[in-house]
Amino acid sequence: MLESIVNLDCGNGPIEPSYNAYTSVGDNAASIVPAFDTEVDTSSTLEAVRSWLQQCCCVDSARSFKPTRLLHIGSNEDFVTLIETCGTKISNYACLSYCWGGSQTVINSTLRALTPDGWQIYVRDLPNTFKDAITTLRRLGFEYVWIDSLCIVQDDQHDKDREIHKMPLIYKNAHLTLCASTARSCSEGFLHPRPDYSDCQLRVCKPNGEIGTILMDQIPWISPLVTEPLGTRAWAFQERLLSPRLLEYGWRTLRWGCSCSARYSGYQPLTVPPESNWKAPAVLSYNLFGYLDPNGLRRMPQHKDELFDHWNSIVDRYTRRNLTYPDDRLAAIGGVATELQARTGIQYLAGLWDYERLPSLLLWRVNAPLGGHEDLRPRPKASRAPSWSWTAVDGPISINHSREIVQSFRVLETEVHGGFGLSARGSITVQGPVNPLLVQNAAALDRGACGLRIYPDCAGELAEITDDESLVEKKPMYRLSDMTFLAIGRANWDREIVRGLLLVQNGDDHRRVGCFQLRSTGRFLIEDWRVQRLRIV
């Protein structure tokens, strides 16, 4: 895959800065630089999608699963019908992934008991995102679509719990997931032309006399100019990972993603002229997909050896996204966990995995070091997961990878109930070096000598080490002198640096409130710590 980069040359050689170079579909310059289409609702874009669907072999057409309810969109332009699928033959269906953006004008409720003929809904009463999805899917030949606000009875908690539990299967078995990536709410729609974000235009004359226009900008590939609202939603992240095929109406153009390929509207290979002296293949794979897709390529681990690195990436990206209801933190990634457990055969532990890499997985931390209290969230009032799991707290998470585990540390036993839905409970019993007296008071601790760093899990629970407690803005729940330090792993770049957990006594058990790292040297040598058995809940 090649990038398309331009440097201007004023006669004395290329000068900075560099520009992304591309053009519009149909322009004469499309034979020398990549092109994409900012119009997402044309016959050519639909024809491209049809060809992608035909060429893709990621979906088994013989799948037997079908959702409880589907919206039958048929060919009648005036109305659609919500039906119960029991007893109905469904060959395939599509899903809509979108942002609610507030209350819905049309939802399914207990007041709308379905008749044998279903619930007939006039298209004119639907929000614009639904209208655009129905229009597009009809043109692609789909008869059924799953939309959560219509296919789940919103004021029936039993129905919501049952259908939310099925959502991973719903997206996994969809023939296509259509993503309204740019719409902030269901009222906006997504078929409008995309703006021109180019910084400048360069007219070029080809050898055959044709005049073309090259568009240029300096938008970083890793930091798009526009944030796609759907890309900020945690539930949508799971939908994205589980769906075998994605059709995304993005900020620049229409994108397609599946296991077979990644395409965008207007993509075409560029041919190198035979007379070229450059030793290259006849067809170059110029592909702007990474530039046009702010969410990046998606890939699920296929086996055990890939699990650790992929899960770290999933946790990092997932926890940076928003949840309308923070208590959905477990459920909104539970479908991905179910799929990975089936693929790898490793038991899922409410955010972690029960295998040889579990010690490293325990070394997660909230991305807000001590002192950055404005970035930390309070601990949830109601417990939703064991304290050793990152799902128990809010905020972005990163997992530290320690290739070398402290010699005396062992995971002895794990016990977890739940973890795929809204809550989990359980414990992990470990054996390892502990030092409950590391910080008796600030005067006794030479932080420069041991390089101690403290990373609290939640706001208001720990405070910076200081001799003067009056300097602490708000009295913390725990003092560092009350902490038990449990050493687990060593830093990959310097094995003298040890990482571990900060624990507080909880009856006969312990509970995690943060993590730490320090330099194991001199009087802070962890080999001198006593080895103890602890049960963390």
Side-chain angles (χ1 to χ4, degrees), residues 473-492:
E473 188 173 316
K474 185 178 179 181
K475 188 175 180 180
M477 293 177 61
Y478 309 107
R479 295 177 301 175
L480 285 174
S481 55
D482 298 329
M483 300 290 103
T484 293
F485 289 69
L486 170 66
I488 294 180
R490 299 182 183 273
N492 296 332

Side-chain angles (χ1 to χ4, degrees), residues 3-44:
E3 299 177 4
S4 180
I5 301 296
V6 164
N7 285 94
L8 301 182
D9 188 341
C10 299
N12 295 318
I15 60 174
E16 294 294 337
S18 297
Y19 291 85
N20 300 307
Y22 52 90
T23 191
S24 300
V25 168
D27 192 279
N28 289 328
S31 62
I32 55 177
V33 292
F36 63 86
D37 198 345
T38 56
E39 297 280 350
V40 297
D41 186 28
T42 64
S43 57
S44 61

Side-chain angles (χ1 to χ4, degrees), residues 419-448:
F420 299 96
L422 291 174
S423 64
R425 56 186 176 84
S427 64
I428 291 181
T429 303
V430 302
Q431 177 180 287
V434 299
N435 190 335
L437 305 175
L438 181 66
V439 184
Q440 285 291 0
N441 55 65
L445 178 67
D446 183 354
R447 295 185 68 189

Side-chain angles (χ1 to χ4, degrees), residues 364-366 368-370 372-373 375-381 384 387 389-390 392-395 397 455-463 476-478 511-515:
W364 57 266
R365 69 177 177 88
V366 181
L370 192 63
H373 292 279
D375 297 325
L376 286 171
R377 319 274 179 89
R379 187 172 294 275
K381 293 181 180 179
R384 59 174 176 249
S387 68
S389 169
W390 56 265
V393 300
D394 299 321
I397 300 293
Y455 303 97
D457 291 342
C458 299
E461 293 189 339
L462 300 175
M477 293 177 61
Y478 309 107
R511 189 165 64 84
R512 171 183 164 140
V513 292
C515 58

Side-chain angles (χ1 to χ4, degrees), residues 72-105:
H72 182 220
I73 58 179
S75 57
N76 190 309
E77 294 186 359
D78 296 329
F79 63 85
V80 293
T81 307
L82 183 68
I83 65 165
E84 300 272 0
T85 61
C86 182
T88 304
K89 184 177 180 180
I90 308 293
S91 56
N92 59 63
Y93 65 91
C95 284
L96 175 63
S97 182
Y98 68 104
C99 293
W100 277 46
S103 60
Q104 300 277 321
T105 56

